[in-house]
């Protein structure tokens, strides 16, 4: 069966995956771009000139073998994007997904076809139902769970995530949305590895035990 | 000036320094001993036969150069130990401090002299006042801040901590007392390093910028 994978999911040392005050011009609120600077520095993100060490090895795993993405309404756009019937997402005309993307929202709308192979589909559905839809679209390839934190937590709690890659960044955000709430005893279901890299981030990988 | 240092302070991935349900027979509540297994495995803790790698190098820093400790009421004993006038702490007749220990509590009592050089003094005082007292007792040596999380947070917020060593253990406790609450932007005051070791813990060191 195709796997469900989370990649490059970045949090502060105090566990926040996004800051407070999310808006169109501040998709991570007061966190700004600081949660992802480690990733922007890699070749996988910036091409020629980017780093090719451990951070890049992790970052590169984002794309290959993925046939569809699932994301939450909070990753698709700023609060209340649903009020604008013409809204096409925070990702520009050619979004970096290049695959069907299933956006979970309690206010679904018709699908939107973008450039570069991304089509946004909107679903009001349980995690398991959404995954069935995404698996079908992925046609045997894996499904990436793109976040945000609320959706990652819900899928982990529904026991649907096979591989979780979290990157802990040396920042204390203090406020925002936490990743880890309500995930007690995750170590009983997953093998956990940790590796710190010279950029000062720590990659945590959770691999579901069979 | 003598420094204020926190050592071997162990937390779960979700940031809890102790579990729920602290009691005389469960000083870390439902966490049990899991937060400190990495430390028990080191030579610094168990002597001959213990590991002598990176975990031990960190663990060993606990003692040398320390002239006094400050701890909170929650580290001294289980909830409501203050109701027992004969209580002598959770640390046995020969506590592992071998120095004056200043216990912060809103219900102070006369000092208690233990075996092995430990004397417990009880203070109802601000962090700065407590530190003055401990520095005096330390006679030029450093002061160790022993925890728990509430006291560590209070001293960091009062800008009194020079060096903070936190050990992140691959567990999700889900409930208990969090270390990181209310410490937004700590990275602006401290240089932060991270190093993961083969025992799967990650040592985080915070060194105050001058
Ligand atoms: N740190 C990272 O690596 C990372 C990665 C991705 C995103 N982010 C950030 O995370 C933030 C968004 O995260 P978030 O936790 O606030 O939100 P989110 O997880 O993106 O989305 C949660 C929202 O999706 C909708 N939803 C979720 N499950 C649903 C279901 N089963 N059925 C119907 N609707 C459902 C609900 O929205 P409605 O009720 O409004 O429809 C819910 O409030 C953004 O700031 C984004 O930039 C960070
Ligand atoms: N993870 C680790 O490495 C580590 C290290 C040490 C301890 N611990 C654990 O942490 C737990 C205790 O932590 P905690 O956060 O609950 O408590 P704590 O930090 O040990 O103590 C907090 C208590 O100390 C007293 N206090 C603090 N500041 C004071 C002040 N300025 N003046 C007067 N009294 C003051 C208050 O108690 P009263 O009002 O009751 O007097 C307060 O509730 C225990 O489970 C312990 O085993 C863990």
């Amino acid at each position: 069966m195709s796997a469900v994978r989370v990649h490059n999911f970045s949090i502060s040392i105090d566990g926040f995956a996004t800051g407070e005050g999310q808006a169109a011009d501040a998709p991570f609120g007061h966190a700004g771009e600081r949660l992802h600077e480690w990733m922007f520095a890699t070749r996988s993100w910036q091409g020629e000139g980017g780093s090719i060490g451990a951070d890049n090895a992790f970052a590169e795993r984002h794309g290959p073998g993925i046939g569809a993405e699932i994301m939450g309404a909070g990753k698709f756009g700023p609060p209340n994007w649903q009020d604008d019937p013409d809204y096409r997402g925070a990702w520009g005309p050619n979004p970096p997904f290049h695959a069907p993307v299933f956006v979970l929202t309690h206010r679904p709308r018709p699908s939107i076809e973008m450039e570069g192979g991304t089509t946004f589909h909107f679903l009001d559905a349980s995690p398991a139902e959404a995954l069935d839809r995404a698996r079908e679209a992925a046609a045997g390839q894996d499904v990436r769970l793109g976040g945000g934190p609320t959706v990652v937590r819900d899928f982990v709690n529904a026991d649907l995530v096979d591989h979780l890659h979290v990157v802990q960044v040396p920042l204390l955000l203090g406020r925002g949305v936490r990743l880890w709430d309500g995930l007690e005893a995750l170590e009983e279901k997953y093998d956990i590895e940790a590796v710190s890299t010279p950029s000062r981030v720590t990659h945590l990988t959770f691999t579901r035990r069979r």
Side-chain angles (χ1 to χ4, degrees), chain A:
Chain A
M1 178 113 84
S2 80
V4 176
R5 292 152 40 187
V6 178
H7 288 286
N8 304 340
F9 198 83
S10 301
I11 63 172
S12 57
I13 284 181
D14 50 349
F16 294 98
T18 188
E20 228 172 54
Q22 296 164 37
D25 60 351
F28 293 85
H30 81 289
E33 300 201 325
R34 293 176 294 163
L35 288 171
H36 293 94
E37 278 163 5
W38 71 270
M39 194 174 81
F40 302 149
T42 63
R43 174 177 293 205
S44 126
W45 189 267
Q46 60 168 255
E48 199 72 30
S51 70
I52 53 166
D55 288 346
N56 185 60
F58 279 107
E60 277 188 346
R61 301 197 61 230
H62 183 262
I66 295 290
E69 166 154 333
I70 298 172
M71 68 169 66
K75 178 171 174 178
F76 184 69
N80 305 318
W81 60 263
Q82 292 98 335
D83 294 339
D84 174 0
D86 298 323
Y87 189 68
R88 296 170 69 82
W91 301 92
N94 186 348
F97 308 112
H98 314 294
V101 173
F102 295 84
V103 180
L104 283 167
T105 170
H106 292 102
R107 295 168 64 189
R109 57 176 63 193
S111 299
I112 310 175
E113 214 180 306
M114 309 292 290
E115 291 165 34
T118 298
T119 305
F120 290 117
H121 304 287
F122 300 85
L123 289 181
D124 185 354
S126 72
E129 288 162 353
L131 179 54
D132 283 345
R133 286 287 305 277
R135 275 216 166 103
E136 208 181 307
Q141 298 209 85
D142 289 348
V143 173
R144 187 175 51 232
L145 186 62
T150 305
V151 158
V152 172
R153 253 190 269 120
D154 288 350
F155 277 69
V156 171
N157 273 321
D159 209 11
L160 297 174
V161 175
D162 297 294
H163 179 76
L164 171 61
H165 169 227
V166 174
V167 188
Q168 192 174 290
V169 178
L171 286 180
L172 279 93
L173 287 176
R175 52 210 160 92
V177 184
R178 280 202 172 92
L179 174 59
W180 299 126
D181 278 359
L183 296 181
E184 182 175 339
L186 213 54
E187 71 279 3
E188 293 175 5
K189 285 191 187 164
Y190 291 87
D191 287 322
I192 307 176
E193 282 188 33
V195 65
S196 308
T197 66
S199 69
R200 302 200 175 208
V201 306
T202 300
H203 297 269
L204 296 166
T205 54
F206 293 71
T207 306
R208 187 143 63 146
R209 296 206 186 98
R210 296 276 151 198

